[in-house]
Amino acid sequence: MLAGMIVVGMADLKVAKTPGALTTLGLGSCVGVALYDAKVKVGGLAHFMLPDSKQIQNNSNIAKFADTAIEQLIKDMERLGATRFNMKAKIAGGAQMFAFNATNDNLRIGDRNVEATLRLLKQYNIPLLARETGENFGRTVELYADDGRFVIKAVGRGTKTV
């Protein structure tokens, strides 16, 4: 991890220009969406908890939901000179952290978060270059604005760079 790494909390999003880097810790059922524009070397990272702000009454924190977090992340990156046409995405998280019968949709939060992310990226015409989602373990990710590297770490499972 770089000194000066920008930490993105849960239900949070941040953007950085090169040589900046972003990290978020503890992605369980939450999804970490990294967007990157290689042309201007601007990256953005969102750590959201739920798929859809329209399903929740108290939805004032836009970074908490896939739909509003991704939209805001795009806007914040555009303010730093990025263009949606050049953005690429990488995602991680969406785990099923607890063992139970996951036929109830309300209990499939990780799956629903990933499904919402994929739908929104398609809607915004942002190609997905890499994903590590699902399973039953948490992840920490890092996004480097200099080259778009997305580093995924999981306890007992090593480190993967995509």
Side-chain angles (χ1 to χ4, degrees):
M1 189 155 46
L2 281 178
M5 172 104 41
I6 299 165
V7 177
V8 178
M10 184 184 296
D12 190 14
L13 59 87
K14 303 251 173 59
V15 295
K17 287 184 107 155
T18 192
L22 303 150
T23 186
T24 194
L25 310 153
L27 290 167
S29 62
C30 297
V31 168
V33 176
L35 299 181
Y36 182 67
D37 180 334
K39 198 166 192 172
V40 293
K41 296 184 185 266
V42 169
L45 184 62
H47 178 154
F48 65 83
M49 301 166 64
L50 296 167
D52 187 359
S53 64
K54 294 163 202 70
Q55 305 286 321
I56 307 291
Q57 285 186 351
N58 180 13
N59 62 3
S60 59
N61 178 356
I62 59 173
K64 190 175 189 175
F65 307 95
D67 59 339
T68 49
I70 292 172
E71 179 182 10
Q72 187 62 48
L73 193 60
I74 292 167
K75 287 178 184 174
D76 289 355
M77 288 177 64
E78 287 173 339
R79 275 196 272 281
L80 290 181
T83 58
R84 189 177 317 167
F85 178 77
N86 293 325
M87 290 180 194
K88 307 284 189 267
K90 298 176 183 179
I91 67 172
Q96 183 70 41
M97 296 301 290
F98 305 101
F100 49 75
N101 183 350
T103 56
N104 180 338
D105 238 23
N106 292 329
L107 303 178
R108 295 180 44 255
I109 294 185
D111 288 341
R112 289 174 45 228
N113 281 338
V114 172
E115 290 162 8
T117 303
L118 298 175
R119 185 176 61 252
L120 289 158
L121 292 173
K122 187 173 185 173
Q123 176 186 317
Y124 287 114
N125 289 320
I126 298 174
L128 179 64
L129 300 184
R131 91 184 239 193
E132 185 180 298
T133 59
E135 304 209 40
N136 63 350
F137 56 89
R139 298 163 174 96
T140 291
V141 298
E142 299 170 357
L143 173 66
Y144 293 86
D146 59 344
D147 60 5
R149 260 176 309 139
F150 192 53
V151 179
I152 305 163
K153 301 175 183 180
V155 174
R157 297 177 185 268
T159 301
K160 180 172 158 182
T161 302
V162 294

